[in-house]
Amino acid sequence: MAILKILTYPDPKLKKKSAPVEKIDKEIEKLLDDMAETMSDAPGVGLAAPQVGINLRVVVIDVSARQQDSPGLIELINPVIISTEGVQIEEEGCLSIPGFSSEVKRKAKVKVQGLDRKGKLFEYEGTGLLARAFQHEIDHIDGILYIGRLSRLKRELLKKKIEKALARAEV
Ligand code: NI
């Protein structure tokens, strides 16, 4: 297993819509392993393949350190949200936008379907942080960052702050 480099905003690969996985082979299995290790090393509760420069619909999630009664590592290939319920507004961050967070409106409960590494179709239901992680990571494979889910005003303010921090880092 290997720890992969996590791309950060405004890398253009983060804005690209990812392609579905056509065949689950050794390379995809290795990608899942490396993504899980990269996520736990970061540490984070979720990671999507475009964040490590691979524009494929592959996601790993593990919220077990922060949410009781949640499954451990979840690996999802070609995930889709099949139903949603309610609304939650909580602080949200992203490994690709380090050092920042913002309140983001999300669905309170989601049902997700996707393939595991054996190609078996799985269904997961999540509330709270797990529901948030499903939505956040599936957004990533559609090329959407959480800042894209903010109101225009909040988004512009946060973008300015991020750009300022990036400019400082470059000096
Ligand atoms: Ni993220």
Side-chain angles (χ1 to χ4, degrees):
M1 288 207 268
I3 291 167
L4 307 170
K5 184 177 183 290
I6 299 176
L7 302 181
T8 53
Y9 175 87
D11 192 295
K13 280 195 172 166
L14 296 170
K15 287 187 78 176
K16 242 182 97 182
K17 197 175 159 87
S18 290
V21 172
E22 306 276 356
K23 184 170 176 282
I24 303 168
D25 54 15
K26 285 265 178 296
E27 249 176 81
I28 297 292
E29 286 182 44
K30 184 174 174 0
L31 176 64
L32 283 164
D33 290 339
D34 291 346
M35 282 173 62
E37 191 169 10
T38 305
M39 171 177 69
S40 90
D41 175 72
V45 297
L47 191 69
Q51 292 182 276
V52 293
I54 311 282
N55 283 110
L56 285 175
R57 303 184 80 80
V58 175
V59 154
V60 294
I61 290 171
D62 190 348
V63 300
S64 56
R66 285 172 54 190
Q67 186 173 343
Q68 281 185 335
D69 301 331
S70 59
L73 176 64
I74 297 173
E75 299 176 333
L76 284 170
I77 297 165
N78 302 342
V80 280
I81 292 174
I82 53 170
S83 70
T84 67
E85 237 179 77
V87 166
Q88 56 167 319
I89 299 173
E90 294 290 341
E91 200 75 11
E92 189 168 318
C94 178
L95 293 174
S96 292
I97 314 173
F100 293 91
S101 65
S102 188
E103 278 190 341
V104 185
K105 191 172 165 185
R106 296 283 190 187
K107 303 295 182 192
K109 189 175 172 182
V110 298
K111 242 185 226 171
V112 171
Q113 243 177 25
L115 302 174
D116 73 357
R117 63 168 66 208
K118 304 261 181 244
K120 194 175 170 223
L121 188 66
F122 261 86
E123 198 173 296
Y124 290 96
E125 194 176 84
T127 59
L129 181 62
L130 183 56
R132 180 169 291 278
F134 282 136
Q135 293 165 84
H136 180 112
E137 301 313 329
I138 291 173
D139 267 356
H140 268 304
I141 56 178
D142 284 327
I144 300 166
L145 297 173
Y146 76 83
I147 53 176
R149 295 290 184 196
L150 303 176
S151 70
R152 199 192 154 123
L153 183 66
K154 276 178 83 179
R155 180 167 64 243
E156 291 313 317
L157 279 172
L158 185 59
K159 271 190 176 173
K160 269 194 196 130
K161 273 198 217 166
I162 295 167
E163 272 146 30
K164 252 192 199 167
L166 288 174
R168 267 202 308 273
E170 273 163 18
V171 172

